[in-house]
Amino acid sequence: MIRAGLILLISCSLLVHAKAQEKEKLIFNGQLSAFGNFSPDVKNEFLFGGRYIPELSYAIPLDSTGINKIDFFASANISGSANFHSLDDINADGSIDPYRIWARYSGNQFEVRVGLQKIDFGVATVLRPLQWFNQVDPRDPLAITNGVYAALGRYYFLNNANIWFWTLYGNKETKGYEVLKTTPKTPEIGGRIQYPIPRGEIGLSYHHRQASSENQELIPHYEKIPENRYGLDVKFDVTIGLWLEGSHIHKSMDLGILTNQTLLNVGADYTFGIGSGLNVVGEHLLGTSDQEAFSFENPSNSTAVTLAYPLGLFDNLSAVSTYNWEGSYASVFLNYQHQFPKFLGYIMAFYNPDTRAGLIESEPEYSLTGPGIRLMLVYNH
């Protein structure tokens, strides 16, 4: 369905091509990155890799203002890595995957986008209950994440309110905090409304899909399990930034503690007048998975703190730390960034526990256990 919609949108664009009153724009960009990693507690402690994301965009204006237009975007994720202990024992891997492929029709107050895309919303920054459709890792300065095949429509009202509608189809892997995959060849539907309130904004989200527990161990096997997700996020900009973000996921079949999942995040941020300005963000996440909704029989508590400090025009220092209260384990991630004339350079140091610290991990190099150091160079063109 998503692919059929993309073909239809492309066909429509060809019909209006002759009516374009401005010159179409074809733009080619790309991002090349390379990294080296040393983790002494890992069997193969050396890890080297690289990634290239070429991007091609094409816009067709539909009027003289350029506000109404049809545009296309395509990019690929070309990556490779090798980990080893010695040169006699090298494990190499590589892949070429589509990263984003979509077409969009947009106007002054609306847009409709169809294809492989990123869908993201919510107010939390690290421990994110509304991270439903992506795997963005807050420690990753490049924010690499898989997209989803979807049709997304958004309308923006004059009072800054906006409404979203989406349909997902053909996504074979789990997304966000999902434990169960979506039943093949079944659509997912949902929507969201954001509305301004005094000194802030409130958002309500909903999503429905059919999940599958086939080929899963320790739980009953069902081909189709109706699942409903409900989301709420509120943010206030007062002397400090304050927010609340929560989600509840309910499955209509009895799957034991996987039947209901509740996540609730409270957070705040403030920039202290120290030097160039020290930004501090604190969040706490309460989560539970229970057979009965909102019984909180299996609670889990995690706290996250992030720091960001500009050292100058070309240098930045940041840190992300999480702590799980039940397991008493913590993770720490430090990142120093320098802007060269044509490159971005990163020096990162980290410590990860043997057990996940509540973060969604985008790439394998961010889930290595124990201490480690990582160097990365990024070139954007």
Side-chain angles (χ1 to χ4, degrees):
M1 181 173 63
I2 300 301
R3 295 178 177 85
L6 181 58
I7 294 174
L8 177 62
L9 192 55
I10 293 174
S11 300
C12 292
S13 71
L14 295 176
L15 295 177
V16 301
H17 175 72
K19 299 181 180 181
Q21 300 180 31
E22 290 187 358
K23 184 179 179 181
E24 298 86 354
K25 295 181 180 180
L26 179 65
I27 300 175
F28 176 70
N29 295 314
Q31 182 184 81
L32 179 65
S33 59
F35 69 88
N37 203 92
F38 175 67
S39 303
D41 289 358
V42 179
K43 178 182 178 181
N44 293 329
E45 64 266 36
F46 295 100
L47 173 65
F48 293 91
R51 184 189 313 275
Y52 181 53
I53 301 179
E55 301 176 347
L56 186 66
S57 60
Y58 182 59
I60 303 175
L62 302 181
D63 56 30
S64 58
T65 66
I67 295 176
N68 294 287
K69 63 181 179 180
I70 292 177
D71 59 329
F72 307 90
F73 185 86
S75 63
N77 187 347
I78 306 169
S79 63
S81 63
N83 61 76
F84 57 90
H85 172 70
S86 66
L87 296 179
D88 297 329
D89 183 21
I90 299 178
N91 298 313
D93 188 25
S95 63
I96 301 177
D97 300 303
Y99 192 60
R100 306 283 186 266
I101 304 175
W102 51 256
R104 176 175 59 185
Y105 173 48
S106 59
N108 188 37
Q109 293 177 240
F110 72 91
E111 67 170 329
V112 178
R113 189 168 61 195
V114 180
L116 179 60
Q117 57 187 289
K118 176 185 174 183
I119 300 179
D120 194 23
F121 48 83
V123 294
T125 61
V126 178
L127 307 171
R128 305 179 55 202
L130 292 180
Q131 195 170 359
W132 288 353
F133 306 127
N134 64 73
Q135 294 81 31
V136 175
D137 190 321
R139 299 167 297 184
D140 181 3
L142 304 183
I144 300 297
T145 181
N146 295 328
V148 291
Y149 290 100
L152 171 66
R154 288 188 282 203
Y155 185 83
Y156 304 91
F157 297 90
L158 296 180
N159 65 346
N160 291 326
N162 55 83
I163 188 168
W164 309 31
F165 293 104
W166 59 73
T167 299
L168 279 64
Y169 187 82
N171 299 286
K172 299 179 181 180
E173 302 300 325
T174 57
K175 309 175 293 295
Y177 289 101
E178 289 178 354
V179 177
L180 304 179
K181 295 182 179 180
T182 300
T183 302
K185 299 182 179 179
T186 61
E188 308 176 52
I189 60 172
R192 171 176 172 83
I193 184 170
Q194 294 178 208
Y195 196 82
I197 57 177
R199 296 196 176 187
E201 189 176 60
I202 185 172
L204 298 172
S205 306
Y206 171 77
H207 185 71
H208 174 82
R209 69 166 183 147
Q210 298 286 340
S212 173
S213 62
E214 293 187 327
N215 302 319
Q216 296 288 322
E217 298 180 356
L218 305 178
I219 60 175
H221 291 180
Y222 298 106
E223 180 185 4
K224 293 184 178 181
I225 307 168
E227 177 189 278
N228 293 295
R229 305 182 197 176
Y230 308 90
L232 168 69
D233 56 286
V234 186
K235 186 171 185 178
F236 297 97
D237 292 316
V238 286
T239 303
I240 62 175
L242 298 172
W243 61 84
L244 168 70
E245 179 174 310
S247 71
H248 178 70
I249 302 174
H250 171 71
K251 299 176 180 64
S252 62
M253 304 281 191
D254 187 354
L255 298 176
I257 64 171
L258 296 182
T259 306
N260 292 281
Q261 181 185 33
T262 303
L263 297 170
L264 184 63
N265 173 298
V266 291
D269 80 280
Y270 184 73
T271 299
F272 293 90
I274 301 174
S276 302
L278 174 65
N279 180 253
V280 180
V281 178
E283 293 183 331
H284 185 82
L285 179 72
L286 169 62
T288 185
S289 293
D290 302 298
Q291 188 171 21
E292 297 294 330
F294 307 113
S295 62
F296 289 90
E297 295 179 354
N298 302 286
S300 176
N301 289 271
S302 296
T303 300
V305 176
T306 66
L307 307 174
Y309 183 76
L311 298 174
L313 292 176
F314 305 104
D315 300 270
N316 290 280
L317 186 64
S318 61
V320 180
S321 180
T322 63
Y323 183 78
N324 180 276
W325 294 89
E326 281 71 29
S328 298
Y329 52 80
S331 71
V332 179
F333 187 85
L334 304 175
N335 181 20
Y336 167 70
Q337 172 191 315
H338 178 74
Q339 174 71 65
F340 294 96
K342 295 185 178 180
F343 295 89
L344 273 172
Y346 299 89
I347 301 175
M348 313 174 201
F350 61 88
Y351 174 81
N352 291 322
D354 293 337
T355 307
R356 285 180 57 180
L359 295 175
I360 291 179
E361 291 150 351
S362 60
E363 299 297 320
E365 60 263 26
Y366 290 95
S367 61
L368 297 172
T369 59
I373 188 169
R374 179 179 307 119
L375 306 178
M376 184 165 66
L377 277 177
V378 180
Y379 173 66
N380 294 291
H381 67 82

